[in-house]
């Protein structure tokens, strides 16, 4: 079978996949996976395209790669090399066998500081190379915005660039030698000169010297087509450089010698504000004379209103300078800011401040996928490049072309190199919209060529632009590309349909397989028009969730970092849900075991809700899936044991006092056989200890105290001097000391504390286990109970419950306006104190802190008010990010203990171990405190407890309370 015939699974002979899988398993030492999950995970990259592979192979070494090529060549099955899967033009998808280099061939073989070189395997993530080079004062120059997950192999395949290309060039400019295996199975060592080139290439090139000398435009970001002009004798016949950017169509990379550059000793970042993107584009080329490291541009449309740190303007240039010292770098940045004709400017030398600003720019690849009104936008014309001096004129014409077709898009990108990224609101769902997509593409290609540009300036042609290469290069040069492909890969084994004899740009669109009728779902999906398919489409594949290490407050995606498996990343789960809706690879819909297994290790941390640039909300998607998956079926025991936890605890509460039920139960659960039986019955991990019950719930303590003090009546809820404190299940039944402390703090502000009527519950545990009918019933009862007393702020101490009230409540009860009203009233303790008691001064604690910001607070509520309150109290230092790993019911469920522990070991436990003896362990979430106690034997405290203790301490600035 010829590779070109393999465009859909139904064209594959029934016995081909089985025979191929058997032969591959016998031939390679690496992993061979032809299962549903592996195929579903690799149907797409970060482009508009989708192709279903037969299977996936993760080779262990070059011998495995050669064996795969031999078997596939014998069967006539194409091979596609894949790194991080972040390609935007479709070149990392294929209908045959996908080679995944990230699993095994991901090592830095060696690093030579004196020669400033490193030898790397193709699956090495760029950030790992940067970390290895940093102690030697070195780095790899090119750095795409996907640096935390893109691989060197993918960068070489696409000839990636990044923001520093004005200083350090493209990947091709930083390559020494390449080890590759051609489509014929020849092992080649490519460098400068013809010594390692395949037979016939030199003769072909030397016969076309005139065409090669005249057929290629000169500009810094020419990525389109094959860079055959680098094979000219006057350019040293650099075969390794010519191989860069060939998108896996000529050979498969197995090892690379890359060149490193000296890392700047100090940097400064000048952010220059301009009236609009046109003014910024016009100014960009003029800044190159100052020798900056970057000249990046973006418009205000891509930035949420009120984003801190940016100067006034409708568009900005991010200009980075270097110096031997911070003062020198700042002086250069200030000189640029002074010389530039700008609306406003800021210069930042603080590394944290620079990282914050760079994150705004790097996240544009995701945020650009949504227009300001929330509608979808897509790649396809992501990175055209023109000579930098013509960028302003090109952008004006580009805007005109968008308007002529009734399209919208916000350009950003590498203004100093004339390279523009943009996501456009194409309609890729209807025949009419797809027709407009084609017409616009053809006209834009003409416009780029008219400005002397390249159809691709960074991400390659793939399927998105290769069809239009004759417009840029002419038919004679494109035919030469085909002849070169024939020398390297005469059987068209490698990535067919890309660059040479390409598929049409409007074929294989990934949206074509999705159902047109919205699925019947429980959540409202307000940001996606109520359409679950549109919610799943949010994942465009930029794969920020595959970041192997996070720093600062980031959370997403703890299960991927614990396992390293794509199926346990946010992107991987979104891909499986996409294929579930499509019904072609995942064929059993909501009953799919493959989707269930992938979602099983989702901690529902909600980190993707804030950290994903496009706002994928996998916690909600998981709850939705579980709701349908178990509809009419018996659920796992843990869903009843922990999903119904509020009910069980309420039933136990009346027996806690006179009968000493809590003490008896706690004692019984310390008896190993009884505890083991209880855990087995409840689906609880045997490694876990069941939390102890207090002798008295918080609400019972509060009611008893109120009777003694003669207060607590609910008819005074609306008073400004009353603080309404929500007694969540965890605070009420498991950690009443937190509630007691909050009462002390709130009363210290002069407020009288009251509790809502009993029986109100946020429904969190029912949502997290996908029992959405039950969750809705609980939430409606809560609204009924709360309706008479709504109107003012509601203080919620447990971050997970606060997040459930803020987001899950209105999204599940989207038809009830009371849900939105209650959601908007939710405040953390710090938020309430800042808003309602701005003159209150907290006690001075004056101690360092360690611990963790709750993942739900990070994702939904934010912790800015908490950080300000800690500062006022003299609590110094930052809390770690990530997820504690317990995550409510997740860490207690049988089979999750290992992943739960790995998540805790990522940030929380190391930060606690490194803390000094006088450090306050600040952990607001009950799950986080439980994890810390069970894994480290340390007791974390809620901020309310720390403040309450300080209030009663002499000399703390507080005053003793009853």
């Amino acid at each position: 079978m010829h590779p070109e015939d393999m465009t859909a699974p139904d064209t594959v002979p029934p016995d081909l996949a089985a025979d191929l899988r058997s032969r591959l398993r016998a031939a390679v030492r690496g992993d061979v996976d032809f299962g549903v999950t592996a195929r579903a995970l690799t149907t797409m990259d970060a482009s508009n395209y989708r192709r279903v592979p037969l299977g996936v192979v993760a080779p262990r070494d070059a011998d495995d790669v050669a064996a795969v090529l031999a078997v596939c060549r014998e069967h006539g099955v194409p091979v596609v090399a894949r790194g991080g899967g972040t390609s935007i033009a479709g070149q990392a998808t294929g209908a045959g066998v996908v080679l995944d280099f990230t699993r095994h061939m991901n090592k830095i073989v060696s690093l030579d500081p004196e020669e400033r070189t490193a030898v790397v395997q193709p699956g090495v993530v760029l950030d790992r190379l940067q970390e290895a080079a940093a102690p030697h004062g070195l780095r790899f120059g090119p750095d795409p915005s996907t640096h935390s997950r893109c691989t060197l192999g993918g960068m070489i395949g696409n000839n990636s660039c990044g923001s520093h290309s004005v200083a350090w060039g493209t990947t091709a400019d930083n390559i020494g030698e390449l080890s590759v295996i051609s489509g014929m199975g020849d092992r080649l060592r490519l460098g400068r000169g013809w010594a390692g080139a395949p037979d016939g290439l030199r003769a072909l090139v030397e016969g076309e010297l005139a065409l090669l000398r005249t057929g290629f435009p000169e500009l810094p970001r020419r990525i389109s087509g094959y860079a055959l002009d680098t094979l000219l004798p006057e350019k040293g016949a650099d075969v390794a450089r010519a191989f860069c950017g060939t998108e896996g169509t000529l050979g498969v990379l197995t090892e690379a010698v890359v060149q490193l550059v000296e890392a700047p000793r100090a940097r400064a970042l000048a952010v220059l504000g301009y009236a609009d993107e046109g003014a910024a584009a016009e100014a960009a080329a003029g800044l190159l004379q100052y020798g900056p490291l970057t000249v990046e541009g973006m418009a205000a449309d891509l930035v949420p209103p009120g984003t801190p740190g940016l100067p006034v303007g409708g568009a900005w240039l991010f200009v980075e300078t270097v110096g031997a010292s911070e003062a020198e770098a700042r002086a250069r940045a200030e000189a640029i800011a002074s010389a530039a004709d700008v609306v406003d400017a800021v210069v930042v030398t603080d590394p944290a401040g620079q990282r914050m600003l760079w994150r705004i720019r790097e996240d544009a690849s995701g945020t650009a996928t949504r227009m300001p009104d929330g509608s979808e936008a897509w790649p396809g014309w992501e990175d055209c490049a023109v000579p930098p001096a013509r960028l302003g004129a090109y952008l004006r014409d580009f805007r005109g072309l968008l308007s002529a077709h009734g399209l919208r898009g916000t350009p950003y990108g590498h203004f100093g190199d004339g390279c523009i990224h943009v996501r456009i609101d194409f309609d890729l769902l209807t025949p009419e919209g797809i027709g407009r997509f084609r017409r616009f593409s053809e006209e834009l290609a003409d416009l780029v060529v008219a400005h002397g540009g390249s159809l691709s300036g960074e991400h390659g042609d793939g399927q998105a632009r290769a069809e239009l290469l004759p417009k840029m290069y002419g038919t004679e040069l494109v035919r030469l590309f085909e002849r070169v492909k024939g020398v390297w890969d005469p059987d068209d084994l490698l990535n067919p349909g890309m660059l040479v004899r390409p598929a049409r740009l409007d074929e294989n669109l990934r949206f074509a397989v999705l159902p047109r009728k919205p699925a019947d779902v429980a959540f409202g999906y307000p940001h996606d028009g109520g359409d679950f398919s549109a919610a799943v489409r949010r994942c465009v594949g930029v794969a920020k969730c595959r970041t192997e290490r996070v720093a600062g407050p980031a959370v997403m995606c703890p299960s991927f970092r614990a396992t390293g498996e794509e199926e346990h990343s946010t992107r991987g789960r979104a891909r499986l849900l996409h294929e579930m809706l499509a019904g072609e690879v995942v064929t059993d819909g909501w009953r799919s075991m493959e989707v269930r297994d992938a979602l099983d290790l989702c901690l529902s941390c909600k980190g993707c809700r804030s950290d994903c640039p496009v706002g994928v909300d996998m916690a909600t998607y998981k709850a939705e899936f579980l709701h349908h998956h178990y509809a009419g079926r018996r659920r796992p025991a843990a869903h009843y044991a922990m999903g119904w936890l509020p009910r069980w605890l309420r039933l136990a509460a009346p027996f806690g006092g006179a009968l000493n039920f809590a003490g008896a139960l706690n004692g019984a659960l310390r008896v190993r056989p009884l505890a083991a039986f209880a855990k087995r019955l409840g689906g609880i991990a045997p490694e876990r200890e069941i939390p102890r019950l207090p002798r008295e719930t918080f609400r019972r303590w509060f009611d008893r105290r109120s009777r003694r003090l003669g207060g607590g009546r609910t008819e005074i809820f609306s008073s400004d001097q009353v603080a309404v404190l929500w007694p969540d299940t965890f605070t009420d039944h498991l950690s009443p000391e937190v509630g007691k402390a909050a009462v002390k703090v709130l009363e210290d502000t002069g407020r009288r504390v009251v509790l809502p009527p009993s029986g109100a519950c946020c429904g969190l545990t029912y949502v997290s286990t996908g029992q959405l009918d039950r969750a809705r019933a609980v939430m409606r009862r809560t609204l009924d109970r709360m309706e008479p007393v709504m109107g003012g702020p509601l203080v919620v101490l447990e971050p997970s419950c606060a997040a459930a009230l803020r987001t899950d409540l209105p999204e599940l009860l989207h038809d009830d306006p009371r849900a939105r009203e209650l959601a908007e009233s939710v405040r953390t303790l710090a938020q309430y104190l800042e808003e309602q008691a701005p003159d209150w001064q907290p006690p001075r604690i004056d101690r360092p802190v360690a611990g963790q910001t709750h993942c739900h607070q990070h994702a939904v509520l934010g912790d800015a008010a908490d950080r300000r309150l800690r500062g006022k109290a003299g609590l110094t230092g930052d809390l770690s990010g990530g997820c504690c790993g317990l995550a409510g019911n997740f860490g207690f469920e049988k089979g999750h203990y290992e992943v739960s522990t790995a998540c805790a070991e990522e940030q929380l436990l190391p930060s606690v171990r490194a803390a000094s003896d006088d450090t306050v362990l600040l952990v607001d979430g009950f799950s986080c405190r439980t994890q810390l106690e069970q894994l480290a034997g340390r007791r974390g405290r809620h901020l309310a407890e720390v403040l309450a203790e300080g209030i009663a301490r002499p000399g703390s600035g507080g005053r003793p309370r009853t």
Side-chain angles (χ1 to χ4, degrees):
M1 175 177 294
H2 194 276
E4 289 181 349
D5 298 328
M6 295 193 59
T7 57
D10 56 9
T11 66
V12 178
D15 59 344
L16 175 60
D19 182 53
L20 183 65
R21 179 177 64 245
S22 177
R23 291 288 305 278
L24 287 170
R25 284 179 174 170
V28 306
R29 297 185 303 111
D31 307 318
V32 177
D33 194 342
F34 277 48
V36 168
T37 297
R39 296 169 63 223
L41 293 173
T42 48
T43 56
M44 294 172 279
D45 49 15
S47 72
N48 297 328
Y49 301 100
R50 171 184 177 272
R51 294 190 291 174
V52 180
L54 286 175
V56 180
V57 177
R60 289 192 176 274
D61 51 29
D63 289 342
D64 270 3
V65 175
V68 171
L69 293 178
V71 172
C72 289
R73 188 165 53 250
E74 179 183 340
H75 286 74
V77 171
V79 176
V80 176
R82 182 180 173 103
T86 56
S87 298
I88 293 181
Q91 59 268 57
T93 67
V97 169
V98 172
L99 291 177
D100 176 9
F101 288 100
T102 62
R103 179 166 299 190
H104 301 303
M105 296 184 67
N106 56 9
K107 299 173 181 62
I108 300 171
V109 179
S110 63
L111 194 150
D112 188 334
E114 293 185 3
E115 294 295 326
R116 294 185 179 179
T117 61
V119 180
V120 299
Q121 293 180 323
V124 172
V125 170
L126 175 58
D127 272 4
R128 304 292 81 75
L129 176 60
Q130 306 291 38
E131 290 166 1
H136 306 288
L138 302 173
R139 57 163 291 144
F140 189 65
D143 56 347
S145 60
T146 54
H147 54 83
S148 64
R149 60 270 192 199
C150 70
T151 65
L152 269 294
M155 293 178 66
I156 291 168
N158 288 348
N159 193 12
S160 300
C161 308
S163 59
H164 291 89
S165 60
V166 294
W168 295 320
T170 70
T171 297
D173 296 319
N174 293 272
I175 291 298
E177 293 182 337
L178 302 176
S179 296
V180 305
I181 303 177
S182 74
M184 291 297 293
D186 297 324
R187 302 195 188 204
L188 307 172
R189 184 76 170 178
L190 311 179
R192 291 179 67 88
W194 296 107
D199 294 339
L201 182 61
R202 179 174 185 175
L204 180 59
V205 167
E206 290 179 347
E208 299 289 351
L209 294 178
L211 180 60
L212 296 183
R213 287 182 173 123
T214 60
F216 293 87
E218 288 293 333
L219 69 162
R221 285 295 192 97
R222 172 171 51 82
I223 305 299
S224 282
Y226 293 153
L228 300 183
D229 56 324
T230 61
L231 299 175
L232 287 167
E234 58 267 30
K235 294 186 178 181
D238 196 335
V239 182
R241 183 171 183 142
F243 186 87
C244 295
T246 57
E247 302 180 20
T249 61
L250 302 185
V252 178
L253 177 74
T254 59
E255 193 173 272
V257 179
V258 299
Q259 297 163 350
L260 305 174
V261 299
E262 184 177 353
R265 294 186 180 181
R267 305 187 196 202
L269 180 62
V271 184
L272 311 180
Y274 293 87
D276 53 39
E277 71 191 25
E282 294 282 4
L287 301 179
L288 298 177
Q289 62 181 311
Y290 296 97
L293 293 181
T294 68
V295 183
E296 298 288 289
M298 66 185 299
D301 296 9
L302 293 172
V303 180
T307 298
L310 292 169
V312 175
W316 301 278
L317 291 179
F318 289 57
V319 184
E320 193 175 46
T321 59
V322 62
S325 65
E326 180 181 310
E328 183 180 346
R330 172 179 281 278
R332 290 179 177 176
E334 290 175 342
I336 291 174
S338 299
D341 184 12
V342 297
V343 174
D344 191 15
V346 297
V347 173
V348 180
T349 56
D350 170 52
Q354 292 185 56
R355 284 194 299 271
M356 180 189 72
L357 289 165
W358 275 121
R359 178 178 176 180
I360 296 170
R361 162 62 186 87
E362 291 176 355
D363 281 354
S365 61
T367 54
T369 64
R370 293 281 156 166
M371 304 303 294
D373 61 3
S375 57
E376 297 167 306
W378 305 107
W381 285 95
E382 177 70 15
D383 62 324
C384 298
V386 299
R390 301 193 63 166
L391 182 60
Y394 166 73
L395 275 180
R396 284 192 295 272
D397 291 345
F398 172 76
R399 283 291 193 184
L401 187 63
L402 281 175
S403 297
H405 285 269
L407 297 169
R408 297 174 299 164
T410 302
Y412 66 98
H414 315 293
F415 281 25
D417 273 337
C419 180
I420 293 300
H421 297 320
V422 64
R423 301 291 174 108
I424 300 172
D425 65 338
F426 297 120
D427 167 16
L428 299 178
L429 301 175
T430 68
E432 296 77 16
I434 294 170
R436 180 166 56 170
F437 168 59
R438 166 168 281 282
R439 291 190 298 274
F440 174 84
S441 299
E442 291 172 341
E443 293 180 30
L444 181 55
D446 291 331
L447 178 63
V448 171
V449 172
H451 281 275
S454 174
L455 303 185
S456 172
E458 180 166 21
H459 295 141
D461 299 304
Q463 186 175 344
R465 290 174 286 269
E467 181 190 356
L468 303 173
L469 285 176
K471 291 178 177 287
M472 177 179 171
Y473 287 120
T475 57
E476 188 177 3
L477 194 52
V478 168
R479 280 197 294 268
L480 181 58
F481 292 165
E482 295 176 3
R483 292 164 62 195
V484 169
K485 165 81 166 173
V487 169
W488 289 82
D489 181 30
D491 295 327
D492 204 14
L493 177 74
L494 302 176
N495 214 0
M498 302 295 148
L499 285 178
V500 170
R501 294 180 292 276
R504 290 166 58 88
L505 62 86
D506 50 1
E507 294 176 336
N508 303 322
L509 292 172
R510 68 185 179 104
F511 318 100
V513 295
L514 293 177
R516 292 295 172 260
K517 182 180 178 181
D520 183 15
V521 290
F523 282 96
Y525 302 100
H527 304 296
D528 298 289
D531 186 354
F532 183 69
S533 178
V536 171
R537 285 201 306 268
R538 277 183 173 270
C539 179
V540 294
V542 296
K544 189 177 179 182
C545 52
R546 280 180 54 95
T547 299
E548 295 176 353
R549 300 170 193 169
V550 298
V555 173
M556 181 184 69
C557 174
S559 53
F560 171 77
R561 292 195 299 277
T563 66
E565 298 288 345
E566 171 82 9
E567 71 177 289
H568 300 304
S569 70
T570 305
R571 182 180 72 171
R573 295 177 178 120
R575 291 292 181 255
L576 281 159
L577 288 168
H578 183 109
E579 295 302 331
M580 181 194 79
L581 293 172
E584 184 180 309
V585 180
V586 178
T587 58
D588 43 1
W590 295 109
R591 298 296 197 200
S592 168
M593 299 299 289
E594 293 83 8
V595 178
R596 188 208 66 177
D597 290 347
L599 288 170
D600 182 55
L601 292 188
C602 172
L603 288 86
S604 297
C605 68
K606 295 183 181 285
C608 48
R609 187 176 181 118
S610 61
D611 294 353
C612 172
V614 294
V616 169
D617 184 3
M618 194 53 62
T620 297
Y621 305 169
K622 176 182 179 178
E624 185 76 64
F625 175 84
L626 293 176
H627 169 69
H628 294 278
H629 184 76
Y630 289 110
R633 306 163 78 188
R634 194 172 79 175
R635 289 173 166 271
H639 286 199
Y640 301 109
M642 287 172 280
W644 289 27
L645 185 65
R647 181 177 184 181
W648 306 137
L649 291 174
R650 282 199 305 273
L651 289 174
F655 302 101
L659 298 181
N660 196 19
F661 178 80
L665 181 60
N666 290 333
L669 291 178
R670 303 282 82 77
V671 178
R672 186 168 299 177
L674 292 177
F677 175 75
K679 294 174 190 177
R680 189 162 56 250
L681 187 66
I684 297 172
E687 301 91 342
R688 287 291 176 189
E689 294 181 17
I690 299 176
R692 294 172 178 265
L693 294 178
R695 292 185 178 274
E696 184 179 43
T697 66
F698 167 64
R699 184 181 282 276
R700 177 171 291 182
W701 170 86
F702 184 86
D703 289 343
R704 180 170 53 80
R705 178 177 181 268
S706 295
R707 287 193 298 272
R708 179 167 58 85
L709 297 176
R713 299 201 316 273
T714 59
E715 52 263 34
I716 57 171
F717 271 79
S718 60
S719 169
D720 290 339
Q721 297 305 310
V722 168
V724 184
L725 180 62
W726 177 270
D728 62 86
T729 295
F730 303 100
T731 299
D732 191 12
H733 295 278
L734 295 171
S735 53
E737 64 278 3
V738 173
K740 296 174 186 178
V743 170
K744 178 174 284 190
V745 172
L746 291 169
E747 288 182 344
D748 194 65
T749 70
R751 265 56 177 183
R752 182 178 183 183
V753 179
V754 295
L755 306 185
S758 62
C761 175
C762 68
L764 167 70
T765 57
Y766 300 104
V767 172
S768 63
T769 53
Q771 301 180 75
L772 300 186
D773 289 336
R774 179 68 180 166
R776 276 191 292 231
V778 168
M779 290 174 175
R780 288 197 191 279
R781 183 184 66 197
T782 294
L783 292 177
D784 292 340
R785 300 284 175 91
M786 292 294 294
E787 187 171 2
V789 297
M790 284 196 298
L794 179 65
V795 182
V796 184
L797 301 173
E798 173 60 42
S800 58
C801 295
L805 290 169
R806 180 69 66 82
T807 59
D808 296 327
L809 173 66
E811 290 174 15
L812 260 183
L813 299 185
H814 46 88
D815 57 343
D816 192 330
R818 299 176 302 169
R820 175 56 57 191
E821 182 182 357
L822 182 58
E824 292 176 350
S825 73
V826 171
R827 299 292 186 274
T828 67
L829 177 64
Q831 289 170 341
Y832 177 88
L833 294 173
E834 188 170 80
E835 295 174 10
Q836 303 298 318
D839 297 328
W840 177 75
Q841 290 299 314
R844 292 292 302 183
I845 310 298
D846 293 325
R847 291 173 64 186
V849 296
Q852 190 165 53
T853 300
H854 194 286
C855 50
H856 285 189
Q857 178 159 354
H858 165 80
V860 175
L861 302 152
D863 68 340
D866 294 72
R867 284 186 277 109
R868 288 190 288 267
L869 178 57
R870 294 200 302 265
K872 289 180 180 179
L875 292 167
T876 58
D878 294 321
L879 303 184
S880 68
C883 177
C884 75
L886 194 63
N889 58 290
F890 176 85
F892 273 97
E893 290 185 10
K894 184 178 180 180
H896 292 170
Y897 183 78
E898 185 177 346
V899 170
S900 175
T901 303
C903 292
E905 288 288 359
E906 186 198 9
Q907 291 197 56
L908 175 60
L909 296 184
S911 71
V912 169
R913 294 186 189 114
S916 60
D917 291 341
D918 67 334
T919 298
V920 176
L921 299 184
L922 202 56
V923 187
D924 278 1
F926 174 77
S927 291
C928 309
R929 294 194 299 273
T930 302
Q931 182 82 310
L932 185 59
E933 183 175 358
Q934 293 198 0
L935 297 185
R938 303 288 298 277
R939 182 179 180 269
R941 291 189 292 169
H942 194 286
L943 178 60
E945 294 181 271
V946 177
L947 294 176
E949 181 182 281
I951 287 171
R953 192 176 68 245
S956 66
R959 52 188 182 276
R961 308 292 293 184
T962 302

